[in-house]
Amino acid sequence: MNSSARSVAPGLVVAVDGTSGSGKSSTSRGVADRLGMRYLDTGAMFRAMTWWLLRAGVDVHDPTAVAARCAEPAIVSGTDPLAPTITVDGVDVATAIRSDEVNAAVSPVSAVPEVRSRLLELQRAVIAAESAESGIVVEGRDIGSVVVPDAPVKLYISADAAARAVRRAAEQGGADVAATQESLLARDKIDSGRATAPLTMADGAVHIDTTPYTLDEVIGLVVALVEDVGAHP
């Protein structure tokens, strides 16, 4: 935790939604660190579920099969913004859930209502437990609209598709930018069009387009917003 972190109001929840590759994960971790808050990556939970289903031999494109098995894995998320962890049945899967195989399968798994219901329960339990003393920054695609609709701070983070592709390709060690952009846009379409908890900007959310800003600048903008809503009671 940042030794110079400023305290925030107990129970404060910052809900961060947005598109893939927009910088919401790095922003969320940075804000949590600066303000001495906890951090929850809900996307990692969906990836962990997907990883488990693939390992279990479940057809991830069969919603009925996915629904039948999604209650089985024990998924545990760590909330340290500087070293977030995720385990499935006690196995560290932080690296495994970023594989191409999981990338290709996470959208259909995330669209299954039973999966979203199961993980929503887990997410709310983590938020209730971890926000009590230091507050928590929660990032995903339906945080402000579904998971914590009464969050005092709601953000929707986006960026130009080309900029997102360059950033994500760099994160992946120099992947093809054009192919990465196509993949990101496909993911956006799936997430925005699904029937259950689609990606959308929640009522009352502040929209931040990160395209023209550095990461540090975006973190500064969000920290200022959090302080504006009374982070220092």
Side-chain angles (χ1 to χ4, degrees), residues 43 46-48 50 60 101-111 187 191:
F46 284 98
R47 287 175 170 275
T50 302
V60 296
E101 183 183 26
V102 172
N103 286 342
V106 67
S107 283
V109 169
S110 300
R187 178 74 190 275
D191 289 345

Side-chain angles (χ1 to χ4, degrees), residues 93-117:
V93 297
T95 299
I97 63 173
R98 305 297 172 181
S99 69
D100 289 342
E101 183 183 26
V102 172
N103 286 342
V106 67
S107 283
V109 169
S110 300
V112 177
E114 289 82 358
V115 169
R116 302 202 72 85
S117 178

Side-chain angles (χ1 to χ4, degrees), residues 55-75:
R55 286 283 297 267
V58 177
D59 180 357
V60 296
H61 297 285
D62 181 346
T64 300
V66 169
R69 302 292 303 276
C70 67
E72 296 180 34
I75 299 172

Side-chain angles (χ1 to χ4, degrees), residues 3-232:
S3 59
S4 62
R6 291 160 284 183
S7 61
V8 300
L12 179 69
V13 178
V14 177
V16 183
D17 294 308
T19 53
S20 298
S22 59
K24 66 180 182 296
S25 294
S26 298
T27 298
S28 297
R29 290 195 301 270
V31 170
D33 180 44
R34 285 197 193 179
L35 293 175
M37 302 175 75
R38 307 308 290 173
Y39 161 74
L40 178 63
D41 178 1
T42 64
M45 300 172 81
F46 284 98
R47 287 175 170 275
M49 175 68 76
T50 302
W51 177 86
W52 184 89
L53 290 166
L54 291 168
R55 286 283 297 267
V58 177
D59 180 357
V60 296
H61 297 285
D62 181 346
T64 300
V66 169
R69 302 292 303 276
C70 67
E72 296 180 34
I75 299 172
V76 179
S77 299
T79 59
D80 181 346
L82 297 183
T85 58
I86 183 117
T87 64
V88 179
D89 297 333
V91 177
D92 179 355
V93 297
T95 299
I97 63 173
R98 305 297 172 181
S99 69
D100 289 342
E101 183 183 26
V102 172
N103 286 342
V106 67
S107 283
V109 169
S110 300
V112 177
E114 289 82 358
V115 169
R116 302 202 72 85
S117 178
R118 165 87 198 288
L119 295 185
L120 174 61
E121 182 179 349
L122 293 180
Q123 290 157 14
R124 285 178 171 167
V126 173
I127 292 166
E130 297 291 334
S131 68
E133 293 186 7
S134 57
I136 191 167
V137 179
V138 187
E139 62 125 325
R141 286 173 172 76
D142 65 344
I143 309 307
S145 57
V146 175
V147 181
V148 198
D150 59 348
V153 181
K154 299 180 189 178
L155 305 171
Y156 185 85
I157 295 181
S158 65
D160 177 83
R164 292 193 284 141
V166 170
R167 294 171 185 172
R168 181 56 59 85
E171 290 174 1
Q172 296 174 342
D176 180 81
V177 175
T180 301
Q181 181 170 332
E182 184 177 348
S183 176
L184 289 173
L185 291 174
R187 178 74 190 275
D188 290 347
K189 184 175 181 180
I190 293 171
D191 289 345
S192 300
R194 64 175 175 243
T196 302
L199 169 64
T200 185
M201 187 164 75
D203 290 343
V206 175
H207 181 201
I208 298 177
D209 182 344
T210 65
T211 306
Y213 300 110
T214 65
L215 173 60
D216 195 60
E217 288 171 336
V218 176
I219 292 172
L221 287 171
V222 177
V223 166
L225 285 170
V226 174
E227 292 175 337
D228 281 347
V229 300
H232 302 281

